[in-house]
């Protein structure tokens, strides 16, 4: 015992395959703790009120054990008819400890999370479990009072409510459809047959590239949808404020075909940034001969943002396939 760090007193149930009832441990720092059915007894339990904070002498340890003799394990709610009603985060199912108390033996029980675990010997359960038990018993009583006719009536009423809710949704959809059609007639832009074909071909040809570059579903749904376009533009006193994704897409489109971008911008079908604005974005770094420190810094920041912090990830190569020189 002198070489042991802790002193433990273990109480088990007197059965063929005994389960641990509670464990009382005196720690190396002379403090004590009690575990009941695997759960630590709260420091706020009434058991500790008459006991010292430290158990240094044998007499103090004996006083703790004597106090434990006046308590027994709370039964919880072992009733089978109540266990089906016990659910939620406020209760939990306790495993089989082979527990018994007097003539009451149970394999499992339902406890509240605030169960006191130990109660006076003349009480079968703690006050918290008693309160919860009353609530569950009331629920069981209400279920017994309901007749099959009442249950059927409730189901019919619920179906009527769902039907009414569905009808309201259908009406709302019809109203929104009319509103959209009216908006298209009053605010829509008519395109000629040639412009319409060009627009379809443009969106189709750019769809895969835009999807790869910007990780969008489709080019048409990403940029040419009316609701999406509104979310990419803000009106200010100075004019438009454009979404960065739309700026990138416009730069890409203009690099493919300047004339196509100009035609699209002046068609009135969709509002796009001016060429001057795109020029400012593409010429943030002054162009010239050789490697630009600003460009190197920009590449380094982009790699760091992608998590490339290892030394081997900092070795890179630049491949240049084709060059297109524009005046």
């Amino acid at each position: 015992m002198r070489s042991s760090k802790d002193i433990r007193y273990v109480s088990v149930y007197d059965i063929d395959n005994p389960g641990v009832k509670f464990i009382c441990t005196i720690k190396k720092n002379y403090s004590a703790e009690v575990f009941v059915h695997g759960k630590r007894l709260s420091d706020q339990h009434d058991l500790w009120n008459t006991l010292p904070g430290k158990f240094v002498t044998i007499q103090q340890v004996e006083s703790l054990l004597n106090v434990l003799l006046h308590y027994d394990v709370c039964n919880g709610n072992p009733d089978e008819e109540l266990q089906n009603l016990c659910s939620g985060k406020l209760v939990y199912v306790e495993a089989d400890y082979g527990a018994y108390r007097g003539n009451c033996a149970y394999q499992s029980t339902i406890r509240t999370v605030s169960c006191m675990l130990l109660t006076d010997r003349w009480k079968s359960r703690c006050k918290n479990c008693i309160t919860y038990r009353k609530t569950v018993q009331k629920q069981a009583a209400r279920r017994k009072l309901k007749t099959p006719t009442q249950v059927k009536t409730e189901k019919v009423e619920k179906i009527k409510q769902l039907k009414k809710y569905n009808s309201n949704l259908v009406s709302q959809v019809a109203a929104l459809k009319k509103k959209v059609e009216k908006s298209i007639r009053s605010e829509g832009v008519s395109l000629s047959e040639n412009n319409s074909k060009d627009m379809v071909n443009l969106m189709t040809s750019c769809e895969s590239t835009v999807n790869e570059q910007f990780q969008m579903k489709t080019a048409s749904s990403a940029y040419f949808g009316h609701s999406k376009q509104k979310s990419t533009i803000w009106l200010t006193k100075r004019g438009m404020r454009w979404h960065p994704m739309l700026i990138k897409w416009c730069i890409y489109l203009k690099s493919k075909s300047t004339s196509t971008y100009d035609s699209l911008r002046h068609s009135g079908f969709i509002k796009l940034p001016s060429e001057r604005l795109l020029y400012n974005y593409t010429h943030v770094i002054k162009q010239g001969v050789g490697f630009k420190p600003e460009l190197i810094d920009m590449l380094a920041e982009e790699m760091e943002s992608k998590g490339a912090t290892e030394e081997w990830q900092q070795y890179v190569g630049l491949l240049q396939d084709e060059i297109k020189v524009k005046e």
Side-chain angles (χ1 to χ4, degrees):
M1 292 295 293
R2 292 182 179 179
S3 61
S4 177
K5 294 182 179 180
D6 301 329
I7 300 176
R8 288 188 176 88
Y9 172 82
V10 181
S11 176
V12 298
Y13 290 101
D14 186 12
I15 55 176
D16 294 336
N17 187 17
V20 177
K21 189 175 184 180
F22 65 82
I23 301 175
C24 178
T25 303
I26 307 298
K27 296 183 178 181
K28 188 177 180 180
N29 60 357
Y30 302 108
S31 63
E33 64 179 3
V34 177
F35 281 83
V36 181
H37 286 192
K39 295 286 185 179
R40 187 177 185 276
L41 190 68
S42 173
D43 295 334
Q44 308 301 323
H45 196 279
D46 295 340
L47 176 144
W48 306 108
N49 292 341
T50 58
L51 295 172
K54 300 290 184 179
F55 298 87
V56 181
T57 64
I58 296 178
Q59 290 77 11
Q60 290 175 333
V61 175
E62 288 179 348
S63 65
L64 171 59
L65 298 179
N66 289 330
V67 171
L68 284 172
L69 293 176
H70 293 84
Y71 289 88
D72 210 336
V73 180
C74 171
N75 282 349
N77 296 282
D79 312 67
E80 293 184 4
E81 63 273 12
L82 298 182
Q83 290 195 19
N84 296 329
L85 299 175
C86 295
S87 61
K89 298 181 180 180
L90 299 178
V91 295
Y92 66 93
V93 180
E94 186 181 79
D96 183 11
Y97 284 87
Y100 63 86
R101 188 167 178 179
N103 296 327
C104 178
Y106 53 89
Q107 295 180 345
S108 67
T109 186
I110 302 292
R111 298 187 186 277
T112 64
V113 293
S114 58
C115 177
M116 300 173 67
L117 299 177
L118 291 179
T119 63
D120 294 328
R121 282 192 169 275
W122 54 274
K123 293 181 179 179
S124 59
R125 52 184 57 87
C126 68
K127 60 181 181 180
N128 295 330
C129 287
I130 290 175
T131 302
Y132 186 78
R133 182 180 180 83
K134 291 180 180 179
T135 302
V136 177
Q137 285 177 336
K138 289 180 181 179
Q139 292 179 1
R142 285 195 295 268
R143 288 195 176 187
K144 291 180 180 179
L145 291 175
K146 288 185 178 181
T147 62
T149 305
Q150 289 176 323
V151 175
K152 184 177 179 180
T153 304
E154 290 180 358
K155 290 182 178 179
V156 172
E157 185 64 26
K158 185 66 175 178
I159 292 174
K160 289 182 179 179
Q161 292 177 1
L162 292 175
K163 185 177 180 180
K164 184 178 180 180
Y165 178 72
N166 185 51
S167 300
N168 292 335
L169 291 179
V170 172
S171 301
Q172 292 178 15
V173 170
L176 289 174
K177 186 177 180 180
K178 291 181 179 179
K179 186 176 180 180
V180 171
E181 292 175 351
K182 182 179 179 181
S183 178
I184 292 175
R185 288 194 300 268
S186 60
E187 301 178 10
V189 178
S190 299
L191 296 178
S192 63
E193 185 176 356
N194 292 333
N195 288 338
S196 178
K197 291 181 179 179
D198 292 340
M199 181 62 65
V200 173
N201 293 333
L202 178 63
M203 289 189 291
T204 303
S205 62
C206 296
E207 182 173 346
S208 59
T209 306
V210 172
N211 188 27
E212 294 176 0
Q213 294 289 330
F214 307 109
Q215 299 180 356
M216 305 295 284
K217 293 182 179 179
T218 59
S220 57
S221 63
Y223 295 107
F224 295 101
H226 180 68
S227 60
K228 190 65 179 178
Q229 183 188 358
K230 283 188 175 181
S231 65
T232 59
I233 302 173
W234 294 274
L235 287 174
T236 64
K237 294 181 179 179
R238 295 180 297 175
M240 295 290 185
R241 292 185 59 191
W242 304 94
H243 195 282
M245 295 292 289
L246 185 59
I247 293 292
K248 290 182 180 179
W249 182 81
C250 290
I251 292 174
Y252 169 79
L253 181 61
K254 191 174 185 302
S255 66
K256 290 293 183 182
S257 175
T258 303
S259 59
T260 301
Y261 182 80
D262 292 339
S263 300
L264 182 62
R265 181 170 176 267
H266 293 96
S267 65
F269 175 74
I270 185 174
K271 294 181 180 180
L272 296 176
S274 64
E275 294 186 20
R276 179 61 188 177
L277 181 61
L278 298 183
Y279 179 87
N280 293 337
Y281 275 96
T282 55
H283 290 73
V284 172
I285 298 176
K286 187 177 180 181
Q287 299 180 6
V289 180
F291 293 98
K292 296 294 181 180
E294 299 89 346
L295 183 59
I296 301 298
D297 294 339
M298 184 183 297
L299 292 174
E301 291 178 1
E302 184 174 355
M303 294 303 296
E304 289 180 0
S305 65
K306 294 181 178 180
T309 57
E310 299 293 336
E311 183 178 358
W312 62 270
Q313 293 175 322
Q314 298 178 6
Y315 293 95
V316 299
L318 298 178
L319 300 179
Q320 198 166 6
D321 186 14
E322 297 179 358
I323 298 177
K324 183 178 180 181
V325 179
K326 294 180 64 176
E327 185 177 352

